[in-house]
Amino acid sequence: MEIEMARHEQLSAEAGAFNFTQFVPFPVSAFHKADEDVARYFDTDWQNFVTRMPVPEDRSKSGPDLPAWRLRKIKAYVEEHLEERISTQFLADLVGLSTGYFCPAFKNAMGITPQAYVMQQRLKRAQHLLASATDLALNEIAFACGFTDQAHLNNRFKAAYGASPGTWRKAFSQPVHGGHVVSASSARRVS
């Protein structure tokens, strides 16, 4: 008992004017143990506290989920109907969700909004057509990809890739010569 009182007086002197009525995350009786025991007790108590706390999910992926089957259905629809007008409301209805739930769920799953995804797919198709269908005019490619007109394609394409569709076509089209694919620069030398 005398040792406990001495220890209590020592702790009180070290603490100075500290008010011991404030909340501490461990019982005050732990002060009466040896310093090593206090540290061990505190660590164990803290570890128990931490393991009981829920671990937050990755904030970048927080929000509603979009099951894989719904995502596949949306991707397939967009691919098949890219030349048409595709609204967010229609995509949400397609998978039986409200737009309020669908938009954050889609963004959570894909990392971009539904309309940004549609635009991304239109631009990819435009790139493919520019490189492979050299007989198509730019306005035909614009309509085939779902753009309202050639200017719409030009503006979006240049913003995304830093070059106009015509410039991109000249730089990246690869004509075929004698059954072999050759670059545009070597095609000038061959012909």
Side-chain angles (χ1 to χ4, degrees):
M1 182 76 167
E2 190 175 315
I3 296 174
E4 289 181 7
M5 289 299 290
R7 182 72 177 146
H8 179 67
E9 288 175 10
Q10 179 188 0
L11 288 172
S12 296
E14 289 174 6
F18 185 79
N19 183 358
F20 282 97
T21 59
Q22 294 179 350
F23 173 76
V24 290
F26 51 89
V28 179
S29 62
F31 278 114
H32 299 294
K33 297 183 179 186
D35 288 341
E36 295 162 3
D37 290 341
V38 171
R40 194 176 313 114
Y41 183 82
F42 178 75
D43 287 343
T44 303
D45 194 45
W46 181 251
Q47 289 170 354
N48 289 338
F49 173 73
V50 170
T51 57
R52 288 190 308 262
M53 292 296 294
V55 178
E57 295 290 324
D58 181 13
R59 286 287 186 211
S60 64
K61 295 292 183 185
S62 66
D65 289 329
L66 191 63
W69 70 268
R70 284 184 165 145
L71 201 53
R72 282 191 304 272
K73 189 173 184 177
I74 292 164
K75 286 180 176 182
Y77 181 85
V78 168
E79 184 64 32
E80 293 170 17
H81 299 91
L82 205 51
E83 67 282 352
E84 301 171 12
R85 184 180 182 282
I86 302 172
S87 70
T88 303
Q89 178 67 53
F90 183 82
L91 292 176
D93 291 343
L94 182 68
V95 291
L97 298 172
S98 69
T99 54
Y101 185 91
F102 171 70
C103 288
F106 187 91
K107 187 169 183 178
N108 190 31
M110 296 293 292
I112 56 176
T113 64
Q115 285 304 312
Y117 173 76
V118 170
M119 183 56 64
Q120 182 183 65
Q121 296 310 305
R122 286 182 171 152
L123 290 169
K124 283 182 182 180
R125 182 179 284 179
Q127 272 187 317
H128 174 72
L129 291 175
L130 286 166
S132 62
T134 56
D135 59 324
L136 288 177
L138 290 178
N139 65 342
E140 292 173 318
I141 291 174
F143 294 128
C145 297
F147 291 100
T148 54
D149 56 16
Q150 184 178 339
H152 189 205
L153 169 64
N154 286 344
N155 291 336
R156 294 299 182 136
F157 198 92
K158 192 168 187 175
Y161 302 115
S164 69
T167 305
W168 193 91
R169 176 183 255 176
K170 288 175 189 170
F172 292 100
S173 63
Q174 297 186 356
V176 177
H177 180 71
H180 301 288
V181 176
V182 293
S183 68
S185 59
S186 62
R188 283 186 226 115
R189 290 190 301 251
V190 173
S191 1

